[in-house]
Structures are given as C-alpha cells and as structure tokens.
Amino acid sequence: MDTFGAGPQGPQPGRDYPPPTRSDAVDAELRVSLDGKDLTVRPGQAARVGRSPDNDLVTEAPTVSRHHAVLRQGSSGWEFENVGSAPTFLNGQQVTRLAVDRPLALVLGSTDGPVLRAEPPRTRKTPAYADAAGQPAPGPQEASGPGWDVGPPPLAPAHHAAVHVDDEIATALHILFPLHSWLHNSGWRQGLRLLVIAYALLPLIFLAVLSSSNDLSAPGWAYSLYVAPLWIMGFWLLIRPGHLTRQEVYAAAGIVAWTLVWINLVTININDRLHLSGSISFLPALAVGFNEEITKALPVLLAGLILLKFRKVKLSVRMSMFLGTIAGLTFGVAEQAFYTSNDIIGINQAQSNNEAVNAALAFAERIFVDGFQHAVWTGIAGFFIGLALNYPRRRIQLIVLGVTIAAVLHALNDFLAGSSIWLVILVQAASLLLFLGYTMSEASIEQQVRDSPLFRGDSMVIQAFRDPTGPPPGSGR
C-alpha cells in the first residue's frame, strides 16, 4: 500500500480528501538569556554580550570581557562568536565561533563563569493532511472505524530511509570530529600545546634536514638544543626565581653570548695547554674544573654587578641561581656538540655489540645529562653569587666559595669517570643534594645571613682600602 490517501486505492469513500500537503513554518527568532535576563533577537539584528553597559546582555562577572561575544545571523543561520580576550566554554571545551543550531549553554570567562543560553529558531510543522476547509484531517490510525479499511501505516520510501541514515552519520561525524571548531580555537596559541607540537615534530624535522649532513657535531647540536628548554622549565619550577623583567631577559641573553664566546677564546685554549687526554689525576681535573666553572660563573657575576651599578637593581638570590643554570646549560650544549661526534665515531668503529651499546649510551648521556650537570654546578655557584651581590661585606669570600664548590664537584666527576661509574653517580647525588637543598632553603639561609653581623655592612675589601686603621664597618645591608 502506498502513502495514505493516495495510490491505487485512492481516497476512501464517505470523505472527500484533497491531495496531501505539508507546510513547514520556521520561527526565525533567536532567544538568549544571561543572568536571568531574556532577549529575543530577530533576523537582521545582533545581540552583544559582555560587562560593558552598552551590550545587549550585561553581566558583572569579572572574568568576562567588556565586549565578550556577539550572536548574529550568518549565511547558514544564527552564529555565536567570541570577540573578547576572555574565553568561552562549551561542555568544558574552549570555543571561539560556532553555529547556534541547537540549544546551547555557553560558559563565559572561565569554567565557573556565567552561563549564556541560546535557543535557536524552532521549526513548527502543520499536520500532513488537511481537508478542504484547511482543518487537520485524521491520520491513518484516527481514520479507522466502520467502513474504513486503511491497513497498516505506510512505509517510507527506501531512498528516504537512506537519506535519513546519511544525515545521522554526518551529524555524528560533525559531533565527534569538530574540525572547524578546533581550527578556530584560540587554545592553539597556548604555550603548552605549541610545545607539544614542536617536540613531536622536531625529531622528524632533524631527520629530514640533517640526514645529508657530513658534520658529526650536527646531531649533538640538534638534540642538545632540543633537550635544553625542558631543563630550563624544570629549573624554573624548582628555583622559582620570580617574575622575569626585561632586564633579566637581557641579562640571560648576555650570559648565553658571553659563555659561547668565552669558551672558544679562553676555556678551550687553557684546557689544550693542560695537554689532558684519557684518564687524568685529580689536580689536572681540578684545574679543568676551575677553568670551566669560572667560564660559567663569571657572566652571572658581571650581569649582577652591571645591573647593580648602572640600573640600581639587585638580582635576588634565586634569580642569580636561575641565571647560573642558564650559563651551565649553554656551556653543556656547546660541550655536547663536540663530544657527541666522538661518540658517533665510537658507535661506527665498535668491534663488538658491547662496545656499540656503550658508545650509544655515552651519546645519550651527553645529550640528556651533560648540560644538566653543568647547570647544577653553576646553579650552586649562582646561589653564592646571589648572596654576594646582596651582602657585600663577604662578597669575595662568598664568590670564591661558590665557584670552589662547583669546581671540586666538577673535578671529582671527571677524575672518577675513569674509575667507576658508581662513584660518578655518588658525585652527582652530592651535587643534587646541594642544588636541591638550596632551592628548598634559600629563604631561611638568606634570613640568617641578613640577621648575622658576619655578612652585614659594606665590603671588607673596600673598607680596607678606604681606611685600613678605621673602625670596623657598620651594620646594615
């Protein structure tokens, strides 16, 4: 049987039915509400939302932008657009622009912000059958009775069912894969997401760009620079140096430049004159330790003194410590680029699997840990440099003590490397004990230094030059 009232049987006797008609009347008005205030928006109008009084819907929530969002009719229907700097969330996900094709509950400003409710136009459908007077005619079930033999309800045509299934699939894909919403989401500009993208793609980019290089130091540079930012973020979280101003950023850039230049002009030449190779005794290792630790500590000290002299700015102890890790990582990256080329040659020339494994592990250790080791040692020296900058009475002694501790740890690491890796691990554990200890107790140590007359007052050296026979320097910071 075809659709009711048509087909081979024709209209049933006793009622005069006109041909079936269907009329869809669309209510084009958008209804929105916020903080208990309702608004109806008609085609050609727009509804503006925000904290500013000139908006159509106003909220006092401080997390909402002054001009936060606008709802207007676009080419494909009503649309919501976030136009302010504060975000908007839908089901916990940040959105920037989307079609209002269903009732929406949009959270403004933060996940705990006010809720903007938008109800799209509804489609009102008139009955499918009407009599000559325009009144609804009974449907198939209602028409049943004496003299009526309508049989079962009609079946939808097969192509209508297929279209219905296709629409359901399209709707499901649109819900599960909101590509348009993703591409217009301001969350892409967040640092963590950008970092994840960079760290996922960079190794493949290295492979594509460096695969034809003949420079064996290229992998060392590439992967050392790949790892260094992760260590920087870790040190920042551990040390908590405070807000970075433009002056500290310039100081960090100067420290990086100074360290790279000083390595090539001074540090390498001094190490070459020591004629060191293979396993070395402790005194030559100590000479190397002082040479390299002075290379890293000197720019941190100079940056602090320059800011103090010309900008009247004192670097905090924690900031000096953090800048020390920057200098150490810079030194480690430059050193890794040199040594990893030797490790690559070792892998290539290995005579056994064991030798190849050891060379590969040495390459990985250089890449992931070498810069970290140097940063830890210089971070310790940076802690004492920070105290010296802020408490000048014992300035020279504090600087010498900090550099000496770092140099001795450095020397023990190099000296014991030829004996036992377990002894090297002990040296690293001692280094971490000092470094992490200072990150945890910096405030209490500085408070005790501030309260102690041993550290208060002007520099003892300057006082001695001014008046060798004068009274002891007064207190005060």
Side-chain angles (χ1 to χ4, degrees):
M1 180 177 180
D2 293 331
T3 54
F4 178 73
Q9 294 184 7
Q12 296 295 326
R15 297 286 295 269
D16 187 11
Y17 285 95
T21 61
R22 180 176 298 273
S23 172
D24 295 339
V26 178
D27 180 6
E29 294 177 346
L30 177 71
R31 295 177 177 85
V32 290
S33 64
L34 177 66
D35 290 346
K37 304 168 188 175
D38 298 327
L39 180 67
T40 299
V41 192
R42 295 179 175 83
Q45 297 178 338
R48 291 172 173 80
V49 184
R51 287 189 293 109
S52 177
D54 59 354
N55 288 292
D56 301 295
L57 284 174
V58 180
T59 178
E60 297 180 356
T63 57
V64 177
S65 298
R66 287 180 54 81
H67 295 91
H68 189 96
V70 62
L71 296 102
R72 61 168 69 92
Q73 196 173 40
S75 58
S76 58
W78 289 98
E79 296 177 347
F80 168 89
E81 182 178 4
N82 195 107
V83 296
S85 58
T88 299
F89 300 91
L90 176 64
N91 297 327
Q93 299 296 319
Q94 187 173 340
V95 295
T96 303
R97 187 173 183 175
L98 73 162
V100 186
D101 54 3
R102 62 193 184 283
L104 299 177
L106 300 162
V107 185
L108 308 181
S110 69
T111 53
D112 298 322
V115 178
L116 173 69
R117 300 188 184 278
E119 184 179 351
R122 295 180 177 178
T123 300
R124 298 199 306 269
K125 298 181 180 179
T126 60
Y129 306 98
D131 59 18
Q135 297 300 318
Q141 299 302 324
E142 295 174 318
S144 298
W148 295 83
D149 183 17
V150 296
L155 298 175
H159 72 279
H160 286 171
V163 170
H164 180 66
V165 172
D166 291 342
D167 288 344
E168 287 185 343
I169 294 175
T171 301
L173 292 175
H174 177 74
I175 294 172
L176 297 175
F177 303 97
L179 297 178
H180 184 272
S181 174
W182 289 344
L183 293 175
H184 291 83
N185 196 314
S186 60
W188 292 111
R189 296 191 294 271
Q190 293 181 1
L192 182 58
R193 288 188 176 91
L194 291 175
L195 191 67
V196 168
I197 293 172
Y199 273 79
L201 297 181
L202 276 175
L204 296 174
I205 295 174
F206 293 158
L207 190 61
V209 174
L210 301 177
S211 58
S212 59
S213 174
N214 294 321
D215 184 3
L216 291 180
S217 66
W221 279 109
Y223 284 98
S224 297
L225 292 172
Y226 179 82
V227 173
L230 298 178
W231 285 128
I232 291 175
M233 288 187 289
F235 289 132
W236 177 271
L237 296 174
L238 285 170
I239 298 172
R240 303 186 307 279
H243 179 65
L244 270 179
T245 66
R246 185 178 301 178
Q247 294 171 341
E248 280 92 4
V249 173
Y250 288 158
I255 288 170
V256 171
W258 173 287
T259 303
L260 292 174
V261 171
W262 191 270
I263 287 173
N264 290 282
L265 294 182
V266 179
T267 311
I268 293 177
N269 290 324
I270 293 178
N271 284 347
D272 288 344
R273 290 181 181 275
L274 294 174
H275 303 292
L276 302 177
S277 62
S279 299
I280 55 177
S281 59
F282 180 71
L283 287 180
L286 187 61
V288 172
F290 270 106
N291 180 32
E292 297 187 358
E293 292 307 319
I294 290 173
T295 298
K296 298 180 289 180
L298 187 58
V300 179
L301 175 61
L302 290 176
L305 291 175
I306 290 172
L307 288 175
L308 185 61
K309 175 70 174 178
F310 297 101
R311 307 294 296 181
K312 306 303 180 185
V313 173
K314 283 187 177 182
L315 290 178
S316 68
V317 176
R318 289 187 181 275
M319 184 60 71
S320 297
M321 196 175 185
F322 178 70
L323 292 176
T325 64
I326 297 293
L329 281 170
T330 303
F331 188 97
V333 167
E335 186 179 71
Q336 287 162 174
F338 171 78
Y339 281 112
T340 51
S341 60
N342 295 336
D343 295 329
I344 293 173
I345 293 174
I347 295 173
N348 187 56
Q349 296 178 350
Q351 301 298 316
S352 65
N353 290 342
N354 180 257
E355 291 181 1
V357 168
N358 286 332
L361 290 174
F363 175 84
E365 189 272 340
R366 288 286 183 187
I367 290 296
F368 292 105
V369 183
D370 201 358
F372 170 79
Q373 291 173 337
H374 283 285
V376 166
W377 293 328
T378 317
I380 295 170
F383 173 82
F384 286 91
I385 290 173
L387 289 176
L389 292 172
N390 287 275
Y391 304 94
R393 177 169 169 77
R394 302 284 180 178
R395 176 168 289 171
I396 293 179
Q397 294 95 321
L398 287 169
I399 294 171
V400 171
L401 178 60
V403 174
T404 299
I405 292 173
V408 170
L409 292 170
H410 191 152
L412 287 171
N413 180 83
D414 293 352
F415 170 63
L416 297 174
S419 302
S420 170
I421 187 62
W422 293 106
L423 295 176
V424 173
I425 292 174
L426 288 177
V427 173
Q428 286 303 309
S431 303
L432 289 171
L433 174 64
L434 286 171
F435 177 82
L436 296 175
Y438 286 134
T439 64
M440 293 185 291
S441 59
E442 178 275 334
S444 63
I445 292 176
E446 186 175 6
Q447 181 63 47
Q448 294 178 68
V449 168
R450 185 184 297 114
D451 295 340
S452 173
L454 290 172
F455 299 95
R456 292 202 310 267
D458 295 330
S459 170
M460 295 181 65
V461 175
I462 294 177
Q463 285 260 339
F465 277 105
R466 287 176 179 171
D467 186 7
T469 61
S475 61
R477 184 173 165 179

